[in-house]
Amino acid sequence: MRPLEGYRVVELGTWVAAPAAAAMLADWGADVIKVEPPRGDPFRYTLRHVGQDTEAAPPFETDNRGKRGVVLDLRQDEGRRVMDRLLETADVFVTNMRPAALERLGLDPATVRSRHSRLVIGTLTGYGWSGPDRDRAGYDVSAFWASSGIASMLNPAGEAPPAIRPGMGDRAAAANLVAGVLAALLRRERTGEGGVVDVSLLRSGTYAIANDLAIQNFFGKRGRTRPRTEHETPLYNCYRAGDDRWFWLVGLEGDRHWPGLLKALGREDLEDDERFATARARRRNTRELIEILDREFASRPMAEWAANFDAAGVWWAPVRTLPEIITDPQAEAVGAFVEQPGMAGTPPLRTPATPVAFWDVDGKPRSAAPALGEHTDEVVGELGASSA
């Protein structure tokens, strides 16, 4: 039995954040009903939005598998009436619509809770429900990456912010929303009352960089982001092997990991070099040490270093490419990928699994992402109402 069997979730979501949270709940057994407007979730057409001539939408299928799809026109009285009937049958309502839009539809938390007191309402906004930016439009690149301060720290000062891969902040916030929803459901088991779970991309971003913000708040400043050739912790830095393959050393406990690295390098002579004898000394002489390491690592291919590192107990990781990770035996062993049915009868697709596994529970997706409006008649029929 999946952990959320018997729970119903109604999702009013677009793009990634709320749909990803609802997909996780669906993977865990909940009956998730995705409500879309007549034109559909714009994420269905994600590749067309960026100029690609294709109907395929693997990202949409990943974040919407296992759901039943319903089309309702919430601008019309009948659509809102059916939506209210759906919420009456639900345990959880998940949405990432902006506050003002929910208020216009009568679907803001205060209004919904006045009619459905046992409902757990999970809202995922860009900037929260209060403050001057509550209704500002944005994606994770603006609210999670840019506004939180993350993007400003990823490159050294003076350089342009880095290119941001899509959906990363969305899925971090989605996991936060799922955690909050489950906590609210536990409380409901004790009290009988639902509640509102309020997650924002902005606050998810500031929490993600809590180390840096805690230091900034305490000292009034933080350590600068340095080029890799000046990294203040040389044993916690990226390097390139002789075959142009990059890897990371992750020897954060410098004095503990220094002897093993020297053994892997065959450079035990450096142990007596006063420039590098302690973590403090290595920090003072970081450029010189990184130059030595760069020369050493450039002398052999990655495979040789991998063998040396593992034999000497060095903590490290290869920088994998996407083609490598999808065939990586360790990723396969932990179930990082699943095969799910294709939408509307298209071939199955291999796609990332959600990040949590339950031992002795089959976590494979039970059904494809729904075609637009695929289950409208079925779901509305269950309510004893006519299609809207």
Side-chain angles (χ1 to χ4, degrees):
M1 181 177 179
R2 301 188 188 210
L4 296 182
E5 296 281 357
Y7 287 88
R8 171 169 284 185
V9 177
V10 174
E11 174 213 308
L12 182 63
T14 61
W15 291 101
V16 178
M24 198 178 301
L25 298 173
D27 274 1
W28 298 353
D31 174 23
V32 177
I33 299 171
K34 180 181 180 68
V35 177
E36 297 179 74
R39 65 184 180 277
D41 180 345
F43 198 33
R44 288 183 178 274
Y45 320 111
T46 179
L47 298 180
R48 284 165 49 187
H49 290 313
V50 295
Q52 297 190 33
D53 185 17
T54 179
E55 296 297 321
F60 174 84
E61 295 196 51
T62 296
D63 289 327
N64 289 281
R65 63 186 178 225
K67 304 175 185 179
R68 295 193 286 169
V70 171
V71 166
L72 296 177
D73 189 346
L74 298 178
R75 297 169 299 179
Q76 306 298 323
D77 290 343
E78 179 66 7
R80 291 193 293 271
R81 186 183 71 81
V82 175
M83 183 68 173
D84 195 61
R85 289 288 309 280
L86 269 177
L87 294 177
E88 186 178 336
T89 70
D91 298 283
V92 178
F93 174 40
V94 170
T95 182
N96 62 342
M97 292 184 67
R98 282 183 268 170
L102 290 172
E103 289 165 349
R104 287 194 299 271
L105 295 171
L107 291 172
D108 56 284
T111 302
V112 171
R113 286 210 70 216
S114 70
R115 300 194 297 267
H116 309 292
S117 62
R118 282 182 52 81
L119 192 64
V120 170
I121 302 170
T123 75
L124 208 166
T125 60
Y127 300 94
W129 276 82
S130 59
D133 292 335
R134 77 187 288 265
D135 290 308
R136 181 181 292 276
Y139 297 103
D140 70 338
V141 70
S142 53
F144 180 91
W145 294 102
S147 295
S148 71
I150 296 175
S152 70
M153 301 190 308
L154 297 180
N155 281 347
E159 293 186 11
I164 302 298
R165 303 308 304 164
M168 293 174 64
D170 284 321
R171 290 186 178 84
N176 295 339
L177 185 66
V178 168
V181 163
L182 296 181
L185 285 172
L186 284 173
R187 184 179 66 178
R188 192 185 72 174
E189 294 298 316
R190 297 193 302 271
T191 67
E193 286 292 314
V196 181
V197 179
D198 180 359
V199 173
S200 67
L201 290 166
L202 174 61
R203 187 163 163 181
S204 295
T206 55
Y207 182 71
I209 54 167
N211 283 10
D212 290 292
L213 287 173
I215 290 171
Q216 179 71 45
N217 280 327
F218 189 84
F219 294 107
K221 60 181 180 180
R222 70 165 186 89
R224 66 184 178 92
T225 303
R226 302 166 181 262
R228 63 160 297 278
T229 53
E230 301 174 17
H231 199 289
E232 60 188 347
T233 312
L235 275 64
Y236 198 75
N237 198 10
C238 57
Y239 295 92
R240 183 160 53 184
D243 54 356
D244 288 332
R245 297 299 311 277
W246 286 91
F247 61 90
W248 236 283
L249 294 180
V250 288
L252 187 58
E253 299 174 66
D255 289 337
R256 173 187 174 188
H257 293 112
W258 179 235
L261 178 60
L262 295 183
K263 181 179 179 182
L265 290 167
R267 290 296 308 271
E268 288 87 347
D269 58 296
L270 292 176
E271 193 163 15
D272 298 323
D273 191 319
E274 63 181 16
R275 295 174 299 169
F276 313 131
T278 65
R280 184 182 295 273
R282 290 190 291 275
R283 179 171 179 162
R284 285 198 307 265
N285 297 284
T286 186
R287 290 187 183 185
E288 294 88 340
L289 180 52
I290 291 172
E291 287 177 3
I292 292 171
L293 295 178
D294 278 342
R295 288 195 299 270
E296 293 290 342
F297 291 137
S299 68
R300 302 182 192 180
M302 169 77 87
E304 291 189 30
W305 288 121
N308 283 10
F309 291 158
D310 291 345
V314 173
W315 292 17
W316 74 287
V319 176
R320 298 201 193 281
T321 63
L322 296 190
E324 289 172 334
I325 188 60
I326 63 176
T327 59
D328 176 54
Q330 184 60 40
E332 184 69 27
V334 299
F337 298 95
V338 293
E339 185 175 279
Q340 67 182 63
M343 184 169 60
T346 58
L349 67 155
R350 188 169 183 260
T351 189
T354 49
V356 177
F358 299 94
W359 287 18
D360 301 322
V361 174
D362 180 3
K364 295 178 181 177
R366 294 180 295 185
S367 61
L372 181 59
E374 179 178 349
H375 303 98
T376 301
D377 290 339
E378 172 184 303
V379 170
V380 173
E382 292 171 0
L383 299 175
S386 58
S387 299

